[in-house]
Amino acid sequence: MASRDDWIAAGLAALAEEGLPGVRIDRIAAGLGVSKGSFHHHFDGAAAYRLSLLERYETQAVAAMERATADASAGGLEQLDALVASLERLYDARIETALRAWAIHDADAQRVMAGIDRARLAMLQEIWADIVPDPRTARTAALIPHLIVIGASASPTTAQDLAAVMRLLARVAPAIPELPGDAPI
């Protein structure tokens, strides 16, 4: 019998490969080599299963961000470089694309995507606060890679291209000026 974790892992893999339409219990059961009865042993219907997928991905994504910032002992630009180096562990374009599409019409997916976005922006803002002294400038600077990641999930961008963009951003970071006093945040 497949475990609950097996079902969730298979569901996330299906989500990454085919988007939400690929998260079909019969196909996942066949892929796991089990009957649909195994599914019902672990989940109280498809809606509960989809919610479990969302919660697991959010937990994994936020934990990966926390590990990445904890692993980077240096601050500022060195931490930004370390973040770029760990980009593949932090960002799965296929799942983020599927989640953002799902979030268009589902409140649970919207909540999870918003939680991931908040965590990502907070992590980036903390890093940028070590690079530029003004909090408003740090927030604006953090928005740049954050919005790049969101844009990358909406266009066919390779992991290598995204990493190259982030490395370029890290190199130009020291040139970011402070915002004028009346600039919005």
Side-chain angles (χ1 to χ4, degrees), residues 32-50:
L32 290 171
V34 298
S35 71
K36 290 195 304 186
S38 169
F39 169 82
H40 294 291
H41 176 75
H42 297 295
F43 302 98
D44 188 23
Y49 180 56
R50 288 190 298 269

Side-chain angles (χ1 to χ4, degrees), residues 59-69 89-90 123:
T59 298
Q60 290 174 343
V62 171
M65 287 181 236
E66 290 170 352
R67 278 192 308 277
T69 54
R89 288 188 332 233
L90 294 173
M123 172 191 65

Side-chain angles (χ1 to χ4, degrees), residues 19-165:
L20 188 57
V23 181
R24 292 190 30 210
I25 306 313
D26 56 341
R27 289 172 65 190
I28 294 170
L32 290 171
V34 298
S35 71
K36 290 195 304 186
S38 169
F39 169 82
H40 294 291
H41 176 75
H42 297 295
F43 302 98
D44 188 23
Y49 180 56
R50 288 190 298 269
L51 184 59
S52 294
L53 296 179
L54 289 168
E55 290 170 346
R56 174 69 57 88
Y57 184 72
E58 181 178 27
T59 298
Q60 290 174 343
V62 171
M65 287 181 236
E66 290 170 352
R67 278 192 308 277
T69 54
D71 290 348
S73 58
L77 291 175
E78 293 82 12
Q79 192 168 21
L80 192 57
D81 286 338
L83 202 58
V84 171
S86 63
L87 191 59
E88 285 189 32
R89 288 188 332 233
L90 294 173
Y91 175 74
D92 183 333
R94 300 169 315 152
I95 287 188
E96 291 236 0
T97 299
L99 283 179
R100 288 188 191 285
W102 186 358
I104 290 170
H105 58 80
D106 183 90
D108 289 328
Q110 289 170 8
R111 178 187 50 75
V112 165
M113 210 58 254
I116 292 169
D117 285 343
R118 272 190 308 277
R120 184 177 291 134
L121 185 57
M123 172 191 65
L124 290 165
Q125 191 167 346
E126 184 177 320
I127 292 169
W128 280 96
D130 287 342
I131 298 169
V132 293
D134 178 52
R136 294 171 310 123
T137 304
R139 176 170 166 67
T140 301
L143 280 167
I144 296 169
H146 174 66
L147 295 173
I148 288 170
V149 166
I150 292 172
S153 70
S155 86
T157 305
T158 66
Q160 296 82 12
D161 285 344
L162 184 57
V165 168

